[in-house]
Amino acid sequence: GWGQLETLQQALELRYVSLDILDRDMCNANWSKGQVSSLIASMQSLALSEEVTQQVRAILEKNARRKYTENMICSGKLGYRVGSCFGDSGGPLFAVTSDGKFFQVGIVSWGPGGYLKNGQKVCNMSLDDLYSAYTRVARFADWIAEQMK
């Protein structure tokens, strides 16, 4: 895509990366775990006992919202910080067939967020096992065909 690079600069030429399509349940579990951990960390100033903290954690984990729906593809590279970034939204996610043909399976939707570094947005590409979400094009094929008439 044309998104932000590791140098915090915008890409001047089209870039690509090879990613894997990941298990949605794993992506949701990782998302929930990250959200719960973040909430628990922010509660530390309350000086709750370990027992109360564990009770709160259990409640949060049980009720954590599933971020990746069936209309999405979770994609990234396990163990690597690569993926979509600021400026990539709307770009394609392609798959390659065994005979080398490309076909579009997704559209860049969102990533795990970002943070400010020296006043600039920085991507959390695959940070803490959080991955990018892509719209699952096949779910909308009929609607796309209808709009193109």
Side-chain angles (χ1 to χ4, degrees):
W2 298 98
Q4 184 181 17
L5 304 171
E6 301 83 7
T7 61
L8 308 182
Q9 302 299 311
Q10 203 69 24
L12 297 177
E13 54 189 49
L14 185 61
R15 310 254 311 190
Y16 73 94
V17 63
S18 292
L19 301 172
D20 298 321
I21 293 177
L22 304 172
D23 179 72
R24 186 176 55 254
D25 290 337
M26 179 207 66
C27 291
N28 274 321
N30 288 355
W31 181 268
S32 296
K33 179 179 148 190
Q35 294 300 300
V36 168
S37 294
S38 177
L39 287 169
I40 294 295
S42 68
M43 291 173 39
Q44 292 202 353
S45 64
L46 300 175
L48 301 173
S49 71
E50 183 62 27
E51 180 182 354
V52 170
T53 300
Q54 291 308 318
Q55 290 173 351
V56 169
R57 178 183 294 280
I59 291 168
L60 290 172
E61 286 175 350
K62 181 180 177 190
N63 295 296
R65 184 174 141 233
R66 302 297 172 237
K67 189 84 169 166
Y68 300 87
T69 70
E70 291 186 10
N71 290 331
M72 299 174 188
I73 296 171
C74 176
S75 185
K77 202 74 155 159
L78 295 175
Y80 295 91
R81 290 188 176 180
V82 295
S84 59
C85 195
F86 300 111
D88 286 331
S89 294
L93 174 66
F94 287 105
V96 183
T97 62
S98 59
D99 61 353
K101 293 182 181 171
F102 287 79
F103 65 99
Q104 186 174 359
V105 296
I107 301 168
V108 179
S109 184
W110 54 267
Y115 60 93
L116 289 177
K117 179 178 180 181
N118 300 326
Q120 291 189 318
K121 291 183 190 177
V122 178
C123 286
N124 288 347
M125 295 180 290
S126 300
L127 181 63
D128 297 325
D129 296 325
L130 301 177
Y131 301 97
S132 298
Y134 299 77
T135 301
R136 186 180 299 273
V137 173
R139 291 277 188 162
F140 300 94
D142 292 340
W143 179 85
I144 292 168
E146 186 64 31
Q147 301 310 306
M148 293 177 61
K149 288 182 180 177

